[in-house]
Amino acid sequence: MGSRTPTFPLNAWYAAAWDAEVKRELLARTICNKKVVLYRTQDDRAVALEDACWHRLVPLSMGRLKGDEVQCAYHGLRFNARGRCTFMPSQDTINPSASVRSFPVVEKHRFVWIWPGDPALADPALVPDLHWNHDPAWAGDGKVIHAACDYRLIVDNLMDLTHETYIHGSSIGNDAVAEAPFDVTHGERTATVTRWMVDIDPPPFWRAQLGKPGNVDRWQIIRFEAPCTVAIDVGVAPTGTGAPQGNRKEGVSMVVINTITPATDKTCHYFWANVRDYRIHEQRVTTDIRDSITKVFREDEIIVEAQQRAIDEHPDHVFYNLNIDAGALWARRLIDRLIEAETGGAPALPVAAE
């Protein structure tokens, strides 16, 4: 039996949880086919350990916290935040090999990030830039979707927003999205799709956000950072007020934050947030937008999960690409390059994004 071709690199930062999800209790999560248990120490530091006791492999997430240590539910072995065993029942001598893996962890942009690969390469500077999620000049909120699909299907979905016309026609989509031209550029770790829709009738969601009558100039600037983060600069402004030339003062802008973490080869954790630069002190607006976008993303979830089931049923199917797939194709190439660098392809260390 041949070895499985990896679908994701390990030497990368992946969002493991929203910061508020990690508490003084044990949280089990699967990240890149690795079972992990997350918790906070008494000084509020996030910790990620392998979720399997050294002794009999019982999940540590079934145990409990004793101070800053995890106590196994089966025989009471305790492991500190570095993964070292500090207690064994009925003996004073602790086997020096008794440990579980401790993963590098960074908290940034309201997420707890984990590095499942070589810890020597875990440079915090490589955490994707999602600063809008905590910038006081922006306001918003988001959620996590635990989707039953390959994480790359969600990346594909985000890199080609023409689907808004057909899946989200009652909210954020209309014919203009599918009709407008777009440009695709790429760098060493990034791919960007830029689409302007000039002098169009805004869809319902955007008409409500702008709060003004008349046609608009609408933009979607999608920036992918390998292996799995997509930040989308979106908004509308009244036609003729200069938005295509860089003057957005008469309009409203949002950034749709997306970072998708492989759980297994066919499941993933999809962390998203929608943040805005207007009416930033109105919590009701934040809640209303979050709830609206939750419904929109549920429509996407249904599609990509159905797509995954169809792929499983047709493993030999060859996909043909359209012009609209250009951004997704570049994202896939960049992911593949990272995988190749880890598995014997061109040697490369992670580099900071452009």
Side-chain angles (χ1 to χ4, degrees):
M1 181 181 295
S3 60
R4 179 185 64 84
T5 301
T7 59
F8 45 78
L10 294 178
N11 289 325
W13 290 107
Y14 291 98
W18 281 89
D19 54 6
E21 291 185 277
V22 182
K23 306 173 183 177
R24 286 285 297 157
E25 57 190 49
L26 302 177
L27 172 65
R29 193 146 280 174
T30 302
I31 308 292
C32 297
N33 288 319
K34 300 178 186 297
K35 301 288 187 180
V36 175
V37 59
L38 298 150
Y39 68 95
R40 288 192 182 277
T41 60
Q42 294 174 100
D43 62 359
D44 204 38
R45 181 168 58 91
V47 175
L49 299 178
E50 178 185 5
D51 193 13
C53 181
W54 169 86
H55 181 221
R56 289 291 184 265
L57 295 181
V58 170
L60 290 176
S61 57
M62 296 177 66
R64 65 189 182 97
L65 284 176
K66 286 185 70 70
D68 286 343
E69 298 181 339
V70 181
Q71 179 173 283
C72 179
Y74 196 10
H75 296 105
L77 278 74
R78 296 179 202 153
F79 299 88
N80 63 22
R82 297 186 302 277
R84 295 293 306 170
C85 183
T86 63
F87 171 81
M88 292 179 172
S90 301
Q91 64 184 69
D92 295 327
T93 302
I94 296 175
N95 188 314
S97 70
S99 64
V100 297
R101 183 176 177 183
S102 176
F103 295 90
V105 169
V106 170
E107 289 198 61
K108 199 169 185 179
H109 312 316
R110 295 182 62 192
F111 296 120
V112 175
W113 303 84
I114 184 173
W115 183 279
D118 182 351
L121 301 178
D123 182 354
L126 298 173
V127 172
D129 179 13
L130 299 175
H131 67 274
W132 308 273
N133 216 21
H134 70 270
D135 189 326
W138 296 77
D141 205 356
K143 293 186 177 183
V144 58
I145 298 169
H146 303 290
C149 69
D150 184 324
Y151 79 104
R152 295 172 299 177
L153 297 184
I154 296 179
V155 173
D156 293 344
N157 173 276
L158 294 167
M159 295 302 289
D160 167 29
L161 295 183
T162 57
H163 72 268
E164 288 183 358
T165 300
Y166 311 103
I167 301 177
H168 311 309
S170 65
S171 56
I172 61 174
N174 59 10
D175 289 345
V177 182
E179 295 169 353
F182 59 90
D183 294 315
V184 180
T185 59
H186 64 89
E188 289 298 316
R189 287 178 64 97
T190 64
T192 302
V193 179
T194 302
R195 176 186 272 116
W196 279 91
M197 294 148 277
V198 176
D199 196 14
I200 66 165
D201 182 38
F205 175 84
W206 283 112
R207 184 177 294 283
Q209 296 305 310
L210 185 60
K212 301 175 183 178
N215 281 7
V216 300
D217 296 336
R218 181 182 179 187
W219 62 89
Q220 296 172 335
I221 303 171
I222 310 163
R223 183 182 185 275
F224 166 81
E225 181 176 342
C228 55
T229 297
V230 182
I232 311 178
D233 171 9
V234 295
V236 297
T239 295
T241 58
Q245 292 76 40
N247 180 10
R248 301 183 180 183
K249 290 190 296 183
E250 298 298 320
V252 291
S253 298
M254 293 182 178
V255 176
V256 186
I257 290 168
N258 312 268
T259 189
I260 310 98
T261 298
T264 66
D265 294 333
K266 296 180 181 181
T267 62
C268 61
H269 312 295
Y270 175 16
F271 298 91
W272 66 267
N274 188 288
V275 297
R276 67 189 186 282
D277 67 354
Y278 59 95
R279 301 173 68 182
I280 64 173
H281 300 297
E282 299 183 39
Q283 179 59 43
R284 179 182 61 80
V285 176
T286 297
T287 301
D288 286 347
I289 292 175
R290 184 197 62 196
D291 291 348
S292 295
I293 300 302
T294 296
K295 295 175 183 177
V296 170
F297 284 1
R298 175 57 184 158
E299 294 170 337
D300 289 312
E301 183 183 1
I302 290 169
I303 288 290
V304 294
E305 289 187 343
Q307 184 185 10
Q308 181 66 65
R309 291 192 297 271
I311 290 171
D312 293 343
E313 293 164 0
H314 302 86
D316 298 322
H317 179 78
V318 177
F319 285 92
Y320 294 90
N321 298 301
L322 308 178
N323 290 342
I324 57 175
D325 297 311
L329 288 172
W330 266 111
R332 293 269 187 149
R333 289 189 187 115
L334 295 174
I335 293 169
D336 289 345
R337 287 178 185 176
L338 292 181
I339 295 170
E340 290 167 5
E342 289 184 9
T343 58
L349 296 180
V351 295
E354 297 83 0

